[in-house]
Amino acid sequence: MNKIAFIGLGHMGLPMARNLLKAGFELSVYDLLHSTMQELVGEGARAANDARDAVHQASVVISMLPASRHVEALYLGDDGLLAHITAGSLVLECSTIAPQSAQAVHRAAAELGIELLDAPVSGGTAGAAAGTLTFMVGGEASTLAKAQSLFQAMGKNIFHAGPAGSGQLAKVCNNQLLAVQMIGTAEAMALGVANGLDARTLAEIMRQSSGGNWVLERYNPWPGVMENAPASHAYSGGFMAELMAKDLGLAQETAQASGNSTPMGALALQLYRLLLRQGHGQEDFSVIQRLFGEPRPSEPDDSP
Ligand code: NAD
């Protein structure tokens, strides 16, 4: 059985690593926050002292970090982690980062004889916990074939998007669309409730009508409409607004480079920046609801 090093045990990495343990893989784990490592030690993982210690004797490395700068700082440079990974090993870089950063890490890995895939995910923390994530994979098809059992332990849909960096490109397009859907849904919810409609009734009507979308299905931003959505838990957990702002920035950089016009994505980025300036960056991205209107005082903010 392959020995796996898993680096980055945040909202996503922790449940992903847990599913690998459940599938019987042997894991060394590392995060700057030691408390999350300890959670997995109780479930059979080895807590590494640092990233280098984690990859010692591992033939597979999986990383789930916040942004491009974290991934580049970890892997690249003369003494970066790639220099400490055995040639022939497999690296699955699952963070959402700039396609150009992913390509730089791909190139550096290839020079050292390391097979790497950019493999960002979709499905949120619920998908990570349930092992139903979608992986959007960039890199060689032959490398993807070797990684199938690992992806299947953590996800349900595994797509080969194309060559190095393609997984990130697909992810950037997806998240731009998700942000636009979230903002449109929050705007419509506020409009209906402000004019006297019941939030749950409106949500159900739109869900079953032509406005239906993923946000209305699984992630309603109005508190109390969906018991399990972050909105019903004071916008805690889930996908931080600052990470969505990062992804929208990546979409704009990509559009700039290719000369595409993405006005909805540009507006979505501006609205998320405003939200960050109001201090909501660490809350779930559905907190964008607050820009458009919140429940009336008589309506509990966090009722199930
Ligand atoms: P997070 O901030 O909860 O977790 C990141 C973890 O990485 C933290 O625990 C942090 O301590 C750790 N870390 C940072 N630098 C490190 C280093 N050098 N060595 C070891 N650990 C380090 O973020 P998240 O929500 O888990 O998201 C991770 C990635 O997945 C991001 O790129 C995000 O855009 C993407 N993503 C998130 C979601 C979601 O719903 N949260 C969904 C899809 C994709």
Side-chain angles (χ1 to χ4, degrees), residues 77 104 158:
I158 296 126

Side-chain angles (χ1 to χ4, degrees), residues 86-89 108-115:
T86 314
S89 298
E111 281 168 17
L112 294 165
I114 296 165
E115 294 190 73

Side-chain angles (χ1 to χ4, degrees), residues 19 101 149 167 174-175 187 272 290:
N19 281 331
S101 289
S149 64
N174 180 74
N175 273 25
E187 203 177 88
Y272 271 96
R290 295 230 195 270

Side-chain angles (χ1 to χ4, degrees), residues 251-252 254-263:
Q252 288 302 295
T254 305
Q256 180 74 22
S258 60
N260 276 71
S261 172
T262 51

Side-chain angles (χ1 to χ4, degrees), residues 7-14 30-33 36 51 64-67 70 73-74 94-97 120-125 133 171 175 219 238-240 242-244 246-247 284:
I7 301 169
L9 305 167
H11 289 106
M12 297 295 287
L14 183 67
Y30 179 66
D31 193 290
L32 297 176
L33 288 174
T36 52
M64 194 54 168
L65 303 178
H70 305 91
L74 178 72
C94 297
S95 329
T96 304
I97 62 173
V121 305
S122 176
T125 47
L133 290 171
K171 175 67 183 170
N175 273 25
Y219 220 99
F239 180 46
M240 285 189 287
E242 65 182 23
L243 290 178
M244 178 53 95
K246 173 206 65 169
D247 292 355
D284 179 75

Side-chain angles (χ1 to χ4, degrees), residues 17 21 25-29 37 39-48:
L21 283 170
F25 290 102
E26 194 178 324
L27 252 66
S28 289
V29 296
M37 283 198 279
E39 278 194 47
L40 290 178
V41 168
E43 297 169 33
R46 179 179 80 89

